[in-house]
Amino acid sequence: MRYSVFSIARNALQYHKGWAKVWRSPELKANYDAVIIGAGGHGLATAYYLAKEHGMTNIAVVEKGWLGGGNTGRNTTIIRSNYLQDSSIAIYNLAHRLYADLSQELNFNTMFSPRGLLMLCQTEHELRGFKRTAHANRLAGLNSRILTTPEVKSLVPIINDSPNARYPVLGAYYQPDGGTARHDGVAWGYARGADAMGVDIIQNCEVTGLSRDGDQIVGVETTKGTIRTKKVGVVTAGHTSVLMQMAGVNMPIESVCLQAMVSEPLKPLIDVVVMANTVHGYISQSDKGDLVIGGGADAYNSYIQRGAFTSLEHTVTALVETFPVLSRIKMMRQWAGTVDMTGDRSPIISLTDVKGLYVNGGWGTGGFKSIPGSGFVFADTIANDRPHPIAEPFGLNRFAEGRFIDESVAAGVAH
Ligand code: FAD
Ligand code: PYC
C-alpha cells in the first residue's frame, strides 16, 4: 500500500481511523509446507527469503506474542561485522551488505545509518586484541582500522580521554560503516514483504508442542490448533532450548537477561556508536535525540524480562566514567530481553537429528546485526534440506566435534 501526501493528511485528520493494514491477520490453516516458529527479525527474514528466493509461499510464521515483540524490538540496533573468525565474518558481512540495500529491497524505511562504530581499547590487552581483529577484518576486505587516542577524541569530543582515568582510552577499533538501523522497521518490512507473497503470519499463537513420527517432524501444536507439516524452523531466541525440548532435542544454550535504557532527548551530541567493552557500557544517539544505552548481561540464567539492578547500576557507572558530561541526564525507560548464549558466543544455524526440524538461535546479545544474512542462509538451508555453505560452520555438530568458533571478544560489551 502506498500513501500520497493527501491521503496521509486525510488519515491524520480522521484520527487515524482509515489506515489500511500493512499485513493480513489470516486464520491458521491445518497444513503448511513449512512452519517458522517465532516472528522476530530472523524468523520473518527466513519466511521472506523462503518465499522470494525459493518460491515457498504455503508457509506460516507462528508467534506467541506480537511480531517483533521479542529481542528484535528490544535491542539497541548496533550493526557491525568486526568478528574474528572467517566463518563469522562471512555471515555478518553478508548481513551488512544486505542491510545496505534493505530499505529498497523491502520498499520500507529501515533507517539504516552506517555512521561509524568505535570499540574503545582501555587496556593493553584490549588494544593488542583489537589490532589483531582489525588485521583479520582487513584481510577479509572489511574497512577497519585502529584509531589513536587523539583521533578518538576528535570523533567523540565528549569522551573522557584523561590518562588518569581508571581505564584510560588507549585507542579504539574503528569500523567506519558500522552503525544502526530501526529495529521495528526491519521486522515490519520483512513482515510486510513476506505477507505480500502469501506467507501467513499468525500472532498470539503460542507453540505448545512439536510432533514426531519416528525421526521425522510431522506437526506443530499451537494454542490456535494443530498444524501438519514436514518442515519446521525454530527461531525463538531466548526460548530456543524450550522449543527444541518439545521435539526431544537438547541445546547447548543458556538463557540470560540483557537490559538497555534510553535517556531524555538531547541536542545532537554524539554521531558515532561507541562501545566500551572493558567497563561494560555502550552508547549511540537516536534521531529523536535519546541516548540509547546498554551494558553487560545479568550474571545468572533466567527467563525474566526485567533485569537485575546490579547490571543496570554497573552500566550507568561505565557510562559516567567514559562520558562524565552525561552524569546528570535523566533516564526515561529501561527494558530487557532474554537472550540465548552458546559457549563459543557464535550462533547455531543447523539441521538436527530430527528430519525436517531446523534451528536458528544462539545469537546471544548480537543477532540484530545478522538478521538479513541469517534469514537468507537459513531459508536456503530449509528449502534444500542441507546447510547453506555460509551456515555450514554453525551446525550443531561443532559442539560434538570440538570445532568451536570462538567469538568471545567480538561479542564484546554485553557478554
Ligand atoms: P526474537 O526477536 O526474540 O524473536 C523470537 C520470537 O519467538 C519472539 O517474538 C517470541 O515471542 C517467539 N516465541 C518464543 N517462544 C515461542 C513459542 N512457544 N511459540 C511461538 N513463538 C514463540 N544485537 C545486535 O546485533 N546489536 C545490538 O545492539 C543488540 N542489542 C541488544 C540489546 C538488548 C537489550 C537485547 C535483549 C538484545 C540485543 N541484541 C543486539 C541481540 C538481538 O536483539 C537478538 O540477537 C535478535 O533480536 C534475535 O532475533 P530473533 O528473531 O532470533 O529473536
Ligand atoms: O552485538 O554489537 C552488539 C551489541 C551491542 C550491544 C548489545 N549487542
Side-chain angles (χ1 to χ4, degrees), residues 111 193 202:
M111 296 170 71
I202 317 283

Side-chain angles (χ1 to χ4, degrees), residues 76 78-80 83 117 119 258 275 282 295 365-367 369 410-411 413-414:
T76 44
I78 295 176
I79 295 174
R80 56 188 172 88
Y83 285 70
L117 172 132
M119 283 187 161
L258 180 67
M275 303 178 72
Y282 63 89
T365 63
K369 65 178 78 66
V413 58

Side-chain angles (χ1 to χ4, degrees), residues 296-319:
D298 285 1
Y300 49 87
N301 298 351
S302 86
Y303 288 105
I304 55 166
Q305 281 189 325
R306 212 171 36 215
F309 199 58
T310 41
S311 317
L312 203 61
E313 236 181 334
H314 190 80
T315 303
V316 174
T317 309
L319 184 78

Side-chain angles (χ1 to χ4, degrees), residues 6-304:
F6 299 110
S7 72
I8 291 172
R10 193 174 55 246
N11 279 305
L13 292 172
Q14 287 170 344
Y15 299 99
H16 302 287
K17 284 191 183 138
W19 297 105
K21 294 218 164 136
V22 173
W23 47 79
R24 298 163 299 131
S25 296
E27 291 295 314
L28 185 71
K29 293 193 295 196
N31 289 280
Y32 286 99
D33 294 338
V35 172
I36 303 300
I37 307 175
H42 288 263
L44 292 165
T46 303
Y48 176 85
Y49 292 116
L50 273 172
K52 180 166 182 231
E53 303 291 330
H54 306 282
M56 289 181 67
T57 53
N58 181 33
I59 60 179
V61 182
V62 290
E63 164 57 50
K64 76 172 172 190
W66 65 96
L67 71 83
N71 290 333
T72 297
R74 293 165 190 269
N75 77 87
T76 44
T77 79
I78 295 176
I79 295 174
R80 56 188 172 88
S81 37
N82 60 332
Y83 285 70
L84 183 63
Q85 313 291 348
D86 289 347
S87 32
S88 316
I89 296 173
I91 189 152
Y92 290 106
N93 224 350
L94 169 65
H96 205 119
R97 286 203 309 274
L98 291 171
Y99 259 123
D101 296 329
L102 197 58
S103 295
Q104 287 81 2
E105 165 77 22
L106 301 174
N107 188 22
F108 198 96
N109 191 357
T110 60
M111 296 170 71
F112 178 56
S113 166
R115 64 184 74 171
L117 172 132
L118 281 75
M119 283 187 161
L120 301 182
C121 302
Q122 293 175 286
T123 65
E124 289 293 345
H125 287 90
E126 207 172 16
L127 185 58
R128 264 205 301 273
F130 275 119
K131 279 184 180 165
R132 183 179 176 215
T133 302
H135 289 316
N137 288 175
R138 273 204 304 279
L139 276 174
L142 235 82
N143 186 0
S144 71
R145 65 193 165 93
I146 296 294
L147 302 179
T148 61
T149 309
E151 286 175 314
V152 173
K153 184 73 178 170
S154 76
L155 273 173
V156 194
I158 63 168
I159 209 157
N160 177 10
D161 65 342
S162 164
N164 299 322
R166 186 167 63 112
Y167 289 103
V169 175
L170 305 176
Y173 169 99
Y174 182 43
Q175 183 176 354
D177 62 359
T180 60
R182 168 103 197 257
H183 47 15
D184 299 320
V186 173
W188 296 339
Y190 275 122
R192 188 179 74 153
D195 173 86
M197 290 183 281
V199 173
D200 285 354
I201 302 170
I202 317 283
Q203 303 185 74
N204 299 311
C205 180
E206 181 167 358
V207 171
T208 53
L210 295 174
S211 313
R212 295 169 52 161
D213 181 3
D215 64 358
Q216 167 72 53
I217 201 88
V218 291
V220 179
E221 300 298 329
T222 81
T223 47
K224 292 194 174 183
T226 301
I227 310 170
R228 311 298 297 173
T229 185
K230 291 280 179 59
K231 284 183 191 253
V232 173
V234 173
V235 202
T236 52
H239 292 79
T240 312
S241 319
V242 178
L243 270 289
M244 294 299 284
Q245 264 296 325
M246 293 178 187
V249 180
N250 285 327
M251 295 297 288
I253 276 179
E254 294 182 75
S255 297
V256 298
C257 185
L258 180 67
Q259 309 179 54
M261 61 194 122
V262 286
S263 74
E264 59 188 323
L266 303 167
K267 296 268 191 226
L269 182 76
I270 178 164
D271 61 2
V272 287
V273 181
V274 177
M275 303 178 72
N277 298 354
T278 289
V279 291
H280 282 132
Y282 63 89
I283 181 170
S284 67
Q285 189 165 21
S286 78
D287 292 347
K288 284 188 295 181
D290 320 356
L291 297 176
V292 181
I293 295 159
D298 285 1
Y300 49 87
N301 298 351
S302 86
Y303 288 105
I304 55 166

